[in-house]
Structures are given as structure tokens and as C-alpha cells.
Amino acid sequence: MDGADGPAETGAAPLPADAEAGREAGPEAGPEAADAPAADGETPGEDPSATPQDAAADPAAAPAAPQEEHPLASYVLRVNGAERPVADAWIGESLLYVLRERLGLAGAKDGCSQGECGACNVQVDGRLVASCLVPAVTAAGSEVRTVEGLAEDGQPSDVQRALARCGAVQCGFCIPGMAMTVHDLLEGNPAPTELETRQALCGNLCRCSGYRGVVDAVKEVVAEREAHGAPGDGDGDEPRIPHQAGPGAGGVNASAFGVAPEPRAPEPRSPEPHDQPYGQDGGQA
């Protein structure tokens, strides 16, 4: 009986030989080591001896630089006759943004950011554009003219003075764009009719004036220039009406692009019901 009770008193049965070997071999013993939890502060599969310099040397591991996602550019704009450098600007910045925020020319206004209201109108190489739609980097090397550049010898231009006299300036938000449009109109058509003036202003939205004061201002400028014998900039060309449409889309007369306009004989017609004089508020009398 004593021999039978002996093995029970010795304790637990010994582990198999392969289990003992696996426990002593450590984390490199077999595939089970890959599933073992990492020590505190370590990432599974990460070499604890790796340094930050090693990570920087690996281009796949380095994060993308901000300028790679938003490319920057440096260029020079010629604005109102002066060279204005622009440094480290995102290539997607509009001409309106660069003029206002980088160059401090706050005359052009951001009314809609969609090229619909005309408050941001400027001239680029002599052509009226909505600066909110023009990437500034594409205007590098071009001549940009803003409302600040309309002044003559430090004094407001004749168009600006006429707009003030005729009551066109009310809240003032749209007037810089209006002034640019009227200047552009008179440069191409020194004696526009009222209809041509209204067509030119169709791209400028104003909720205050009813446009009557702007139309009167154009008439005053035309009369003043004729009285002083000021030569028109558009002599020799067919009158053109500024607009924000592209070439050949009806915005600018074809003669502005070197294309001879087709001659058309005027057709007599009887007065239509809508041919009525305009009232003081800009509507029909």
C-alpha cells in the first residue's frame, strides 16, 4: 500500500519536454511568438532599436509635406503700373484674394465669388474680368488695373466724380465694379447710347441705385469729354460693350479681336409697346 501512495505525494505531473523547450526559448522560438502582446510603449512588429533618423530616411514612412498637397508659387503682378511681388502663395488663390489680402488693394469687393455680381471687376491687359474667377498666378506678367488705379494725379477720375455727383454711390459696395465697367465701356465706345450703357451694366448688380444715377453719370462724362475735345480711346473701332463672356460669345465686339464686323443695314421698324422712356428709378416711365 505504501508503494501505491508514493506517486500521489510527489505533486503535479511533469510537463512534456516540448512545452518546457518552448517556454525556455523565448519570443523567437516559433510562430506563437508573433501573436504575443508587445511590451508597454512598443508597437507590434516594430524594431525597438529604430531611431527617428531611420524613419526620416525612408520616403515611404515620411508624411507628405503640406506644400505637396497645396503647391505654392512666387510671382510678380504688375498692378496699376507697379511691380508687386507675391511670395509663397497657393496657386489656387484668386486674383481678388491676392489683391485684397496680400497686396492691400481692397477696392474690388467679394460679392458672390461666382462672377455674377460685378463687384470685383478689374482689367487684365485691358479687358474687363471678374477677378474672383481668375487664378492670380495666371495674371503674372499681365497688366492689372484696379479701381485704385483710375485716379489721375491723385484725384478721382472723371467717371468717379460723375458717379458721385449723380447719386450713383449709395451703400458703395458695388461702385468700384461699376466704375471699372464704365471706364471699360468708354474706352471702347466713347459715346454709348443709353441702351449700350445698360447692356454694359447688365453684369453689375446693385440693390440701391436703380442704375439711373450710373446712366446719368455716363452721359455727363461723354458730354464733358466732348466739350473738352478729349479723344476717345476707341476711335477707329466699332463700339464695344464690355461683358464677362468669352471672345466671340457676344460679350465684346468682334473688332476688339481683329475680326472685321459684318456690315448690316439698319432695318426700319415701327415702335414697339416696350419702347418707352425710362423713369427716374430706372424702370419704365
Side-chain angles (χ1 to χ4, degrees), residues 208-284:
C208 302
S209 69
Y211 302 94
R212 183 73 256 173
V214 184
V215 174
D216 290 343
V218 173
K219 293 179 180 179
E220 278 199 15
V221 173
V222 171
E224 182 179 337
R225 291 182 179 181
E226 289 178 349
H228 289 80
D233 294 333
D235 291 347
D237 282 338
E238 287 289 326
R240 64 183 175 89
I241 297 174
H243 197 270
Q244 297 172 9
V252 180
N253 191 276
S255 63
F257 303 96
V259 180
E262 297 181 2
R264 294 187 302 173
E267 298 181 0
R269 62 184 181 87
S270 58
E272 298 292 337
H274 60 269
D275 291 340
Q276 300 179 19
Y278 291 101
Q280 292 300 317
D281 61 350
Q284 292 182 351

Side-chain angles (χ1 to χ4, degrees), residues 47-65:
D47 184 3
S49 64
T51 64
Q53 289 77 7
D54 297 334
D58 185 4

Side-chain angles (χ1 to χ4, degrees), residues 158-159 182-200 215 217-227 230-242:
D158 55 354
V159 169
V182 171
H183 268 277
D184 192 76
L185 167 67
L186 296 177
E187 285 175 357
N189 184 356
T193 65
E194 182 168 331
L195 177 59
E196 289 171 334
T197 299
R198 289 180 176 275
Q199 288 176 324
V215 174
V218 173
K219 293 179 180 179
E220 278 199 15
V221 173
V222 171
E224 182 179 337
R225 291 182 179 181
E226 289 178 349
D233 294 333
D235 291 347
D237 282 338
E238 287 289 326
R240 64 183 175 89
I241 297 174

Side-chain angles (χ1 to χ4, degrees), residues 2 5 13-14 20 42 63-64 66 68 78-80 83 103 108 129 176 192 203 206 208 245 260 264 279:
D2 295 338
D5 296 335
E20 287 286 345
E42 294 184 6
E68 294 179 2
R78 184 170 178 80
V79 183
N80 300 327
E83 302 287 340
L103 302 184
V129 300
C206 176
C208 302
R264 294 187 302 173

Side-chain angles (χ1 to χ4, degrees), residues 5-126:
D5 296 335
E9 296 175 357
T10 60
L15 295 174
D18 55 350
E20 287 286 345
R23 184 169 60 180
E24 295 175 359
E28 299 179 357
E32 294 83 356
D35 298 332
D40 293 342
E42 294 184 6
T43 303
E46 179 181 315
D47 184 3
S49 64
T51 64
Q53 289 77 7
D54 297 334
D58 185 4
Q67 60 268 23
E68 294 179 2
E69 298 179 1
H70 302 285
L72 305 181
S74 297
Y75 48 90
V76 176
L77 292 177
R78 184 170 178 80
V79 183
N80 300 327
E83 302 287 340
R84 302 295 300 272
V86 179
D88 297 331
W90 176 48
I91 61 172
E93 291 179 355
S94 68
L95 180 58
L96 173 63
Y97 179 88
V98 170
L99 290 173
R100 289 180 57 86
E101 306 299 333
R102 293 187 179 272
L103 302 184
L105 298 173
K109 300 297 189 291
D110 187 0
C112 67
S113 299
Q114 298 179 359
E116 297 289 342
C117 70
C120 68
N121 282 357
V122 300
Q123 284 182 327
V124 177
D125 288 335

